[in-house]
Amino acid sequence: MNPEEKLQLAILDDTIHTETPHGRAIRRIVKGIEEFGITVSDISSPADARAAASNLPEIDCVLINWNLGGDTPEKHRVTAGIIHEIRQRNEEIPIFLMGEPTSAAPATLTIDMIKEINEYIWVMEDTPEFIAGRITAAAKRYRQKLLPPFFGALVQFSDDFEYSWHTPGHAGGIAFRKSPAGRAFFKFFGEQLFRSDLSISVGELGSLLDHSGPVGEAERYAAKVFGADMTYFVTNGTSTANKIVFFGRVTQDDIVLVDRNCHKSAEHALTMTHSVAVYLLPTRNRYGIIGPIPPDQMSPAAIREKIRSCPLSATAESQVPVHAIVTNSTYDGLCYHAAEVERLLGKSVDSIHFDEAWYAYARFNPIYRDRFAMRDGARDPEGPTVFATQSTHKLLAALSQASMVHVRHGRVPVDHARFNEGFMMHSSTSPLYPIIASCDVSSKMMDGAPGRVLTTESIEEAIRFRRTMARIAREIGHGKTPQDWWFGMWQPDTIPDAKTKKPVAFADAPMEWLRDDPSCWVLHPGGKWHGFTGLPDNYCMLDPIKVTVLMPGVKENGSLEKWGIPAAIVVKFLDTRGIINEKSGDYDILFLFSMGITKGKWGTLITELFGFKRLYDEGAPIADIFPDLVEKWPEQYKGLTLRGLSDRMHAFKKEHRMCELLQEAFAILPEPAITYAKAYKKLVRNEVEHVPVCEAGGRIVATGIVPYPPGIPILAPGERTGRQDGPLLKYLTVLQAFDNAFPGFEHDTHGIECENGVYRMYCVKEETNGTTTEMKKNMKTATKRAAKREAKK
């Protein structure tokens, strides 16, 4: 909100348009306020007032009649509820409570109500000019405090209309206006964007690289809001934020404990730092959904054994790991008990890095307590130093590429000056200032009550969708006839009553249980719905806002039923209806209920799922639903119905054991032959060859092989593919066969190039005896270092 825009006032009063002394007095006050240049919106019924209370983001001040609807205790409780709802959403907006000299309003106010209002005004006693002046002053003070540090300074600078003699060369957009294409570009985005696209030469805005001025102030404000000791704004996404953390903690030959369920940016960071990865292997369930790393893998004894058995760790200068990275929450919304992870891993490493790219909102709602990095009361000078990298743009409100690094000091505190060297290596000297401003504004939006309200709304909308889907499944998904099917939901089937402990169907569970009680979402041992085994109680929780819709066709043991509907077909159908999901597996689709979700959005999603079911049950032809498939590949799709396509694809997956092979492929850790950095060195020097999957047995891959979604490496750079008939290459061979059988539904696998229907990957050129020169060097180095360690003993 621009401070120069007209102030706006809302009056909640049902007498404002009446010919009563109170109504006439209110209208005189409104006239006086408008003479100060303030826009006034009047809301004249209690029902409208309740609706408006939840939607006042543009208002600078609120006036509310204590006798709204009537001068009775019951009506006063309604008014008090409206005021409380406004306060829940905005702790700072000035609220003026209006009364009359003859009323007993002050005596009827509770202490809690007195705390929630700013001023009490007598409508019939004070002059309209005086009241208008008080309101104007309060609104202006609120407006001045509204903008966070950097964004406020940026707005102020932009409003100065200074001549630009520095970069960027468009000089506030003027250069764009000198050509037809540039003018169209300028009009599309608007002048304000270009006037706020500035250079580091603008000293009054500070420097992102030096963390000075308003930028530094904004980062310190973000640290306070997000519970960190230090916060750094990153303008190239969490991929870069992850690399910054690595460059601050890891260097050549260091051992790093790496969650195998990590983003590829961690792979890049390992490559760039020339460090050695020792993997922690997460679990998977029958749907291929990636679960948490079991806690027994995090014990000191288990980690020592992992390091001992890793061939590359022998070349490390020290056998003690220096850093650990864990994905929290997972791509499917599984959240660790972060305090327990820190307790376990903190015995082996001095710093723990939680990649919370999809989880920046966790601090702002109590349902996530103990399950995120920057927790209140978590500071421990004897514990590990903790980092959290968060994509502010993903599920908070910020521009794309906006990200943050949060730091909580432990026994190895982060020295800012040294850490900032790594920060500068990955940061531009010409950052986009609107991205910095969006980080700043995101902090402001989540500060205090607004953060709780915004996250609660997301959770409530997700729960409403979940319960609606469960009710539909109960009514039509009982399977009595071929048409009696519906989509499932990956969530508990029942919720135990807190008092009686009796199970209540999820569809019937009260909102307050599901919204407020984390135990409703915990992966309790033995829970059939989640399908994970060996996890202690309360160790892992499903995030309510990450909603996975399940397709029919998967048995409890992970094999496929005779009948089913692959997710890829439903995804393509929804895409044609303008509904884009976050990711999908073989038989599951993930939808994110971010702060931008509305009832209209999820209501439309349910409507379109019904649309799919209707077309499926009616045997609608593919030519009517996916005409592009029939036009491009008539031999494969001509004459097929929607059900026929689903049956054919499901039969292929069942016959080729695609789901089982996925589980088998990801259940093992391939043999690491050379480090990430050495594999990349081979790639750059062209000491590689493009090998078809059918001939890749026993080879060392030069790049990661990463099936999407969700983007987890089946093979990391420098790892061996295993036997030709082993699980890794068998799975890739089946993916290749699927892509050839179902064009238009191809898989996206990074590191794989498809040439004329053949999957090829870059593999390191090796000597004929199967031992690379690099491996010989590694073994020689390992032998020397082992001898030195024995000599020291």
Side-chain angles (χ1 to χ4, degrees):
M1 185 180 295
N2 191 324
E4 300 305 316
E5 292 177 0
K6 292 180 68 174
L7 294 169
Q8 299 195 49
L9 168 72
I11 297 182
L12 282 58
D13 192 330
D14 56 343
T15 69
I16 190 169
H17 297 298
T18 62
E19 288 302 321
T20 62
H22 182 94
R24 287 190 291 271
I26 290 295
R27 290 198 295 276
R28 286 196 300 271
I29 292 171
V30 169
K31 184 178 180 181
I33 291 170
E34 289 177 336
E35 288 175 356
F36 278 94
I38 298 177
T39 300
V40 178
S41 302
D42 64 84
I43 301 162
S44 56
S45 76
D48 290 343
R50 290 198 68 88
S54 62
N55 190 26
L56 297 173
E58 296 183 354
I59 301 302
D60 300 296
C61 185
V62 178
L63 271 66
I64 185 167
N65 185 354
W66 179 236
N67 297 327
L68 186 67
D71 188 7
T72 66
E74 180 182 351
K75 299 299 183 183
H76 291 162
R77 283 193 291 272
V78 172
T79 304
I82 294 171
I83 293 172
H84 181 64
E85 191 168 343
I86 294 172
R87 272 288 168 252
Q88 281 188 312
R89 293 174 172 275
N90 192 325
E91 296 169 309
E92 299 176 357
I93 190 170
I95 299 176
F96 285 67
L97 194 64
M98 300 183 293
E100 300 175 19
T102 56
S103 73
T108 61
L109 293 177
T110 64
I111 293 176
D112 288 340
M113 184 53 52
I114 292 171
K115 290 179 179 178
E116 291 190 331
I117 63 173
N118 294 82
E119 294 194 32
Y120 190 89
I121 57 177
W122 297 109
V123 173
M124 303 294 293
E125 187 171 272
D126 295 319
T127 66
E129 293 77 16
F130 177 79
I131 293 172
R134 295 290 299 171
I135 292 168
T136 302
K140 286 183 176 179
R141 287 194 299 270
Y142 169 71
R143 178 70 69 87
Q144 289 170 353
K145 294 192 303 180
L146 190 63
L147 302 186
F150 179 78
F151 182 49
L154 182 62
V155 168
Q156 184 176 352
F157 180 86
S158 179
D159 286 340
D160 288 342
F161 291 89
E162 296 188 2
Y163 276 118
S164 169
W165 295 90
H166 52 72
T167 59
H170 62 71
I174 294 172
F176 289 114
R177 297 172 64 190
K178 293 183 176 182
S179 80
R183 183 173 288 273
F185 185 69
F186 181 88
K187 286 183 177 180
F188 182 82
F189 286 104
E191 181 177 357
Q192 199 60 57
L193 171 65
F194 301 104
R195 284 176 49 208
S196 59
D197 182 20
L198 300 167
S199 163
I200 199 170
S201 303
V202 181
E204 49 264 66
L205 293 179
S207 166
L208 181 65
L209 299 182
D210 296 336
H211 312 280
S212 59
V215 175
E217 188 179 348
E219 289 180 321
R220 289 187 290 274
Y221 173 62
K224 176 182 78 72
V225 172
F226 286 87
D229 291 323
M230 302 162 62
T231 290
Y232 296 83
F233 289 171
V234 180
T235 59
N236 199 25
T238 300
S239 294
T240 294
N242 287 340
K243 295 166 192 169
I244 288 169
V245 172
F246 265 73
F247 268 60
R249 285 293 302 142
V250 179
T251 190
Q252 184 170 348
D253 292 335
D254 282 344
I255 292 176
V256 182
L257 304 178
V258 180
D259 184 350
R260 189 72 177 192
N261 177 26
C262 67
H263 189 257
K264 64 180 180 181
S265 58
E267 172 192 308
H268 297 158
L270 289 158
T271 301
M272 296 166 77
T273 55
H274 292 245
S275 50
V276 176
V278 171
Y279 283 107
L280 307 175
L281 189 62
T283 52
R284 281 180 179 255
N285 72 358
R286 60 184 174 274
Y287 292 101
I289 292 172
I290 302 167
I293 303 162
D296 57 13
Q297 287 198 39
M298 298 184 184
S299 70
I303 288 172
R304 285 194 297 270
E305 176 56 27
K306 286 176 179 290
I307 293 172
R308 187 197 66 77
S309 59
C310 175
L312 300 181
S313 64
T315 66
E317 293 184 1
S318 170
Q319 299 300 288
V320 178
V322 301
H323 189 60
I325 179 170
V326 175
T327 303
N328 187 45
S329 72
T330 68
Y331 299 98
D332 298 284
L334 294 176
C335 315
Y336 288 93
H337 193 284
E340 179 65 6
V341 172
E342 289 174 25
R343 186 187 70 80
L344 291 168
L345 286 180
K347 297 175 182 179
S348 301
V349 291
D350 288 333
S351 63
I352 300 172
H353 172 181
F354 288 102
D355 182 344
E356 295 182 347
W358 298 85
Y359 197 44
Y361 51 85
R363 175 176 173 78
F364 307 104
N365 199 283
I367 199 170
Y368 303 110
R369 55 185 173 270
D370 297 326
R371 299 188 180 277
F372 58 94
M374 299 294 129
R375 309 178 306 281
D376 286 337
R379 290 181 177 84
D380 180 6
E382 302 303 318
T385 292
V386 176
F387 298 88
T389 50
Q390 297 175 347
S391 293
T392 318
H393 66 95
K394 279 190 167 74
L395 289 171
L396 296 184
L399 296 179
S400 291
Q401 296 185 206
S403 188
M404 298 188 196
V405 175
H406 303 298
V407 183
R408 170 161 50 86
H409 296 307
R411 56 180 175 260
V412 285
V414 173
D415 179 85
H416 165 72
R418 291 189 296 118
F419 186 82
N420 199 51
E421 289 298 314
F423 178 90
M424 289 191 294
M425 286 184 187
H426 295 280
S427 301
S428 171
T429 55
S430 303
L432 186 65
Y433 279 46
I435 294 179
I436 302 173
S438 75
C439 283
D440 194 25
V441 171
S442 188
S443 301
K444 181 68 174 179
M445 290 177 64
M446 304 310 293
D447 193 3
R452 172 71 178 267
V453 171
L454 289 169
T455 54
T456 298
E457 285 181 346
S458 295
I459 292 169
E460 288 180 345
E461 292 305 324
I463 290 170
R464 290 187 180 101
F465 174 80
R466 288 174 177 275
R467 290 194 305 186
T468 302
M469 290 288 287
R471 288 168 185 159
I472 296 170
R474 184 166 58 190
E475 292 181 19
I476 68 172
H478 43 71
K480 293 180 181 178
T481 73
Q483 283 73 41
D484 295 328
W485 66 270
W486 184 244
F487 302 94
M489 296 294 294
W490 193 56
Q491 61 193 24
D493 300 311
T494 60
I495 303 296
D497 187 303
K499 294 181 180 178
T500 66
K501 305 302 180 184
K502 292 182 178 179
V504 176
F506 187 96
D508 303 323
M511 171 64 76
E512 56 268 25
W513 293 7
L514 298 170
R515 181 192 62 208
D516 301 335
D517 187 355
S519 69
C520 294
W521 304 95
V522 165
L523 274 60
H524 298 295
K528 289 185 178 180
W529 71 269
H530 59 74
F532 292 104
T533 59
L535 299 179
D537 202 13
N538 204 41
Y539 179 69
C540 185
M541 182 188 92
L542 173 62
D543 186 344
I545 76 164
K546 291 170 181 172
V547 178
T548 298
V549 177
L550 302 175
M551 310 300 107
V554 181
K555 297 180 182 179
E556 281 193 10
N557 65 4
S559 63
L560 297 184
E561 303 274 7
K562 292 182 179 179
W563 169 83
I565 301 175
I569 298 174
V570 182
V571 167
K572 184 172 179 63
F573 173 83
L574 293 175
D575 189 27
T576 65
R577 267 59 177 178
I579 295 176
I580 310 301
N581 65 295
E582 176 54 40
K583 77 171 189 69
S584 62
D586 285 311
Y587 289 87
D588 59 276
I589 307 174
L590 176 67
F591 298 92
L592 299 179
F593 276 66
S594 67
M595 293 188 299
I597 293 299
T598 63
K599 294 178 181 64
K601 282 186 178 181
W602 67 254
T604 300
L605 172 57
I606 290 179
T607 299
E608 295 299 348
L609 290 174
F610 265 113
F612 179 92
K613 174 177 167 55
R614 177 179 58 81
L615 294 170
Y616 180 92
D617 291 341
E618 292 175 352
I622 287 295
D624 293 344
I625 305 167
F626 306 135
D628 59 315
L629 294 182
V630 178
E631 289 172 8
K632 292 181 181 178
W633 301 284
E635 292 183 3
Q636 284 92 341
Y637 299 117
K638 188 175 182 180
L640 276 180
T641 64
L642 185 58
R643 176 158 192 157
L645 174 60
S646 297
D647 289 347
R648 182 179 293 184
M649 190 178 291
H650 180 75
F652 183 98
K653 288 176 178 285
K654 181 177 175 63
E655 179 185 351
H656 290 81
R657 298 181 63 250
M658 280 188 69
C659 296
E660 294 95 322
L661 284 174
L662 179 144
Q663 296 282 45
E664 293 168 10
F666 281 98
I668 64 169
L669 282 176
E671 174 198 350
I674 57 177
T675 64
Y676 284 36
K678 289 178 179 177
Y680 187 69
K681 180 179 178 181
K682 297 286 186 183
L683 186 71
V684 172
R685 291 185 172 179
N686 198 26
E687 297 174 5
V688 294
E689 50 193 349
H690 229 186
V691 179
V693 167
C694 62
E695 300 173 10
R699 299 298 298 268
I700 300 171
V701 293
T703 64
I705 308 299
V706 186
Y708 273 78
I712 307 305
I714 191 172
L715 281 162
E719 290 181 340
R720 284 202 181 275
T721 59
R723 302 189 319 272
Q724 189 65 53
D725 62 349
L728 299 175
L729 293 181
K730 280 178 69 175
Y731 179 64
L732 291 175
T733 300
V734 169
L735 287 188
Q736 174 184 275
F738 178 94
D739 290 356
N740 287 325
F742 299 96
F745 295 94
E746 295 90 351
H747 292 81
D748 178 15
T749 306
H750 288 196
I752 291 288
E753 292 184 25
C754 189
E755 300 175 359
N756 299 318
V758 176
Y759 274 13
R760 291 180 177 272
M761 62 181 75
Y762 280 110
C763 295
V764 174
K765 291 179 180 178
E766 299 186 60
E767 297 177 4
T768 54
N769 64 1
T771 304
T772 66
T773 303
E774 293 290 349
M775 289 187 68
K776 290 179 179 179
K777 289 181 180 178
N778 287 345
M779 289 186 285
K780 188 175 182 180
T781 302
T783 302
K784 287 182 178 179
R785 288 184 176 169
K788 287 182 180 179
R789 286 195 292 271
E790 289 298 319
K792 288 181 179 179
K793 291 180 182 179

